[in-house]
Amino acid sequence: MARCGNALGQNGAAVHAQNDTPDANGVIATAHIGSNAFGIWASSANGFAGRFDGRVHIRGKLTSSEPKSAAVRVADGSLRLLYAIESPESWFEDFGFGRLESGYARIELDETFASVVADGPYHVFLTQYDGDDGLYVTERDTSGFAVRSARSADAGCEFSYRVTAKRKDAAHLRFEEADEPTGTLPELSAVPPEDAD
């Protein structure tokens, strides 16, 4: 049977760890045996199961059974949720502007963006500003693409583009099956204050 400490007062902590040594750790938790073993299992009936004040780095997959959102403070001071777009596949996107000269424009993909996306076909979405010159995408390759006008060889309009390409290290994934953990929290017995160190 697991044992736990007692939280001390309002906002107290049953477990408190602090390390003032440079580049050292406050808490390290590991669990090596079993597919349903957790290094840390946190739960809360009414509040938050966890809180991080500072940067968080995850070396591995992050899976959520709920919609993913960002909390953004709006003009009236309240926090509002903006939700992420979900997809069966993993995509990277990049955006930019261009302008036709004599009915033609060549757009080069950002080198860093091109280095992290798959070599296969990618999507290009165009929006023309001020006019309707029938823009279309051609000469698409791993380094970039061209934009032409179907209506005028002299077109010189401005446009924006949105490039959507599969992530290189996950290009084959589609509706990947998620691992679903099982099990229940163990029964906890509180440590009497006089026994707690």
Side-chain angles (χ1 to χ4, degrees):
M1 179 178 295
R3 296 169 66 83
C4 67
N6 290 309
L8 302 177
Q10 185 178 8
N11 297 325
V15 177
H16 185 124
Q18 179 173 326
N19 193 327
D20 295 322
T21 304
D23 297 322
N25 305 286
V27 175
I28 297 178
T30 60
H32 297 296
I33 301 175
S35 59
N36 282 304
F38 298 87
I40 295 177
W41 184 334
S43 68
S44 177
N46 300 308
F48 295 94
R51 171 173 170 168
F52 299 90
D53 294 330
R55 297 180 298 169
V56 178
H57 180 74
I58 300 174
R59 298 177 63 182
K61 292 184 178 181
L62 174 65
T63 304
S64 173
S65 59
E66 298 291 332
K68 291 175 283 295
S69 60
V72 179
R73 199 168 299 281
V74 297
D76 65 4
S78 63
L79 283 176
R80 302 300 176 93
L81 298 180
L82 291 116
Y83 289 93
I85 297 175
E86 308 284 2
S87 170
E89 298 169 301
S90 183
W91 298 89
F92 284 152
E93 292 188 315
D94 200 10
F95 304 81
F97 292 91
R99 179 177 290 276
L100 294 188
E101 294 184 7
S102 300
Y104 178 86
R106 174 68 185 180
I107 303 296
E108 298 296 329
L109 296 178
D110 181 281
E111 291 183 1
T112 303
F113 178 80
S115 71
V116 296
V117 299
D119 292 334
Y122 53 87
H123 300 282
V124 181
F125 304 95
L126 300 175
T127 300
Q128 179 180 342
Y129 301 101
D130 297 328
D132 182 9
D133 291 305
L135 304 188
Y136 66 94
V137 175
T138 185
E139 301 174 25
R140 185 180 50 165
D141 56 37
T142 57
S143 63
F145 57 92
V147 178
R148 291 184 179 273
S149 169
R151 298 196 176 101
S152 173
D154 298 323
C157 61
E158 183 186 12
F159 62 90
S160 65
Y161 60 86
R162 173 185 178 185
V163 178
T164 304
K166 288 187 177 181
R167 178 173 171 154
K168 178 180 289 187
D169 59 0
H172 63 288
L173 300 178
R174 180 175 173 82
F175 279 115
E176 182 184 12
E177 187 171 356
D179 296 326
E180 186 172 5
T182 60
T184 58
L185 281 172
E187 181 182 353
L188 300 178
S189 62
V191 177
E194 62 271 15
D195 295 339
D197 293 331

